[in-house]
Amino acid sequence: MSLPKRGPGYLDLPKLQTGLDQAMRATATEFSLYENSVELTPIHAQSRISLPSEDSFTSFEQARDHIRGPALPPETNVFWNQGYLDVLLNYPIQSDRSEFALSIDSAFGLSGRMKMFVEFRSPGRPARLLQIHGDKRWIPLDPSWRYAAGSFVSLGFHHILEGIDHLLFLLCLALPFRLRQFWPLLAVVTSFTIGHSVTLVAAAFGIAPSGNWFPPLIEALIALSIVYMAAENIVSAWFPDVADTARRRRWVVTGLFGLVHGFGFSFLLREELQFAGSHVMLSLVSFNVGVELGQVLFLILVLPVLSLVFNGERARRACIALLSALVAHTAWHWMLERFAGLEYVQWPDVDIAAIILIALPLGIAVMAISGTRFWIGRQRRRGSGDGSDIGGLFPSKPVTAAYIRQE
């Protein structure tokens, strides 16, 4: 909008009232407040121009008193694009116990560049602080458990299907397995899920390093995990003895790599958990459920395709080696780029606390994965009675049969 100016570009404050009214109306339409899904309309609004050094927005009371206070003196020099527009909007509500939500509009093109800090207060509950970016469309300020569970299941489901590095890792896991070995493969993938669940929960509750060196290190290790799994597939494709050994210990390898991928998931979830309201633990579980559903869907789609391509043992081994080589080539370049970026981060001093933060999720995950493997193996032996093999995951004992023919 065209604002009245004076001198080299200072706002002409006495002539600014019309521009302030336009800016205030634009602000009120940029986002909407809802009560029980019904849009509210502000009945009263105030606005003013403030200096860039103004720090009244440290609390609601200070901000409100500042906006209601006297305007800047007419001779104040405020450059036209360096001041603040402060607006106070008042909405009539039916009850302070209602469910409230914000909806951000993009009509004025601000939502892609906007960052909004929200403090939501309701009677008898602690204040909730939110940092909202412009790509958020609908933000419940105090979501119900149903909304939190559904939204985080959806978030985990879409995140795993949109993460190309996680999908390549799953593809490497699936390549050595046949279509009839879906359940053994699911057990291996579940080991991966247990691993990333432990570190995901640990990171959400602050039991993880917080330095700026940690995210790029995790991204580099994720690429390394893909390279390792692809290389293992290539070697196993041509050496059956190696393949059997690798398949037996694959649950361990995937569980350990799951720890690394869990930290990768946590970088997304750390920002999204603020929208969980009081249902943080439920949202963490729901996110993991969504990730697991996405993984299962990916396997259901991939395994039949692989079974059609793998026509014959020789062709099967060749295809495993070829696909793994293509994946390894891509992940190798990712790994080199990401490890090269670690040169520019500031590494922390190693102390006992940092070691414990990293070792604690590792120990919990190893115990959880080992316990799950033991339980599955025990249940399998109970069900079959002969300790039958699950795709090499639980080696079976040889069974000798004697036949007597009597004429």
Side-chain angles (χ1 to χ4, degrees), residues 133-268:
H133 296 278
D135 56 351
K136 283 287 182 182
R137 297 298 182 188
W138 179 264
I139 306 101
L141 298 178
D142 191 17
S144 64
W145 70 267
R146 294 183 183 85
Y147 182 90
S151 61
F152 277 87
V153 167
S154 176
L155 180 65
F157 182 81
H158 288 93
H159 180 65
I160 192 68
L161 295 181
E162 294 171 359
I164 184 64
D165 46 0
H166 301 301
L167 292 182
L168 288 182
F169 184 83
L170 288 175
L171 178 62
C172 289
L173 289 183
L175 281 176
F177 290 85
R178 303 175 188 272
L179 182 59
R180 64 175 181 271
Q181 296 175 316
F182 176 78
W183 294 112
L185 174 58
L186 183 60
V188 174
V189 173
T190 301
S191 174
F192 172 72
T193 301
I194 293 174
H196 75 64
S197 298
V198 170
T199 49
L200 185 63
V201 173
F205 287 96
I207 311 177
S210 58
N212 60 0
W213 57 272
F214 192 58
L217 175 62
I218 291 299
E219 294 299 326
L221 292 178
I222 289 176
L224 175 62
S225 70
I226 301 173
V227 172
Y228 175 87
M229 295 304 301
E232 186 180 85
N233 287 344
I234 295 173
V235 175
S236 301
W238 301 109
F239 299 95
D241 294 338
V242 176
D244 291 338
T245 303
R247 202 163 58 233
R248 289 190 187 99
R249 61 181 175 83
R250 178 154 285 199
W251 68 273
V252 179
V253 176
T254 55
L256 294 177
F257 282 141
L259 296 173
V260 177
H261 286 250
F263 283 123
F265 292 146
S266 71
F267 302 144
L268 165 73

Side-chain angles (χ1 to χ4, degrees), residues 21 126 136 210 246 283 301 324 354 376 387:
D21 293 340
K136 283 287 182 182
S210 58
S283 300
L301 296 176
S324 298
I376 293 176

Side-chain angles (χ1 to χ4, degrees), residues 34-38 95-101 120 141-144:
Y34 287 81
E35 180 184 13
N36 297 328
S37 301
V38 177
S95 170
D96 55 13
R97 301 288 180 175
S98 300
E99 294 183 357
F100 296 96
F120 176 66
L141 298 178
D142 191 17
S144 64

Side-chain angles (χ1 to χ4, degrees), residues 1 47-48 89 95 100 121 144 162 176 183 186 188 210 262-263 288 300 328 343 358 362 379 405:
M1 63 188 67
S47 62
R48 61 169 293 163
L89 304 173
S95 170
F100 296 96
R121 300 181 180 185
S144 64
E162 294 171 359
W183 294 112
L186 183 60
V188 174
S210 58
F263 283 123
N288 277 309
I300 291 175
E343 179 183 355
I358 297 176
L362 175 64
Q379 297 302 315
R405 183 179 183 184

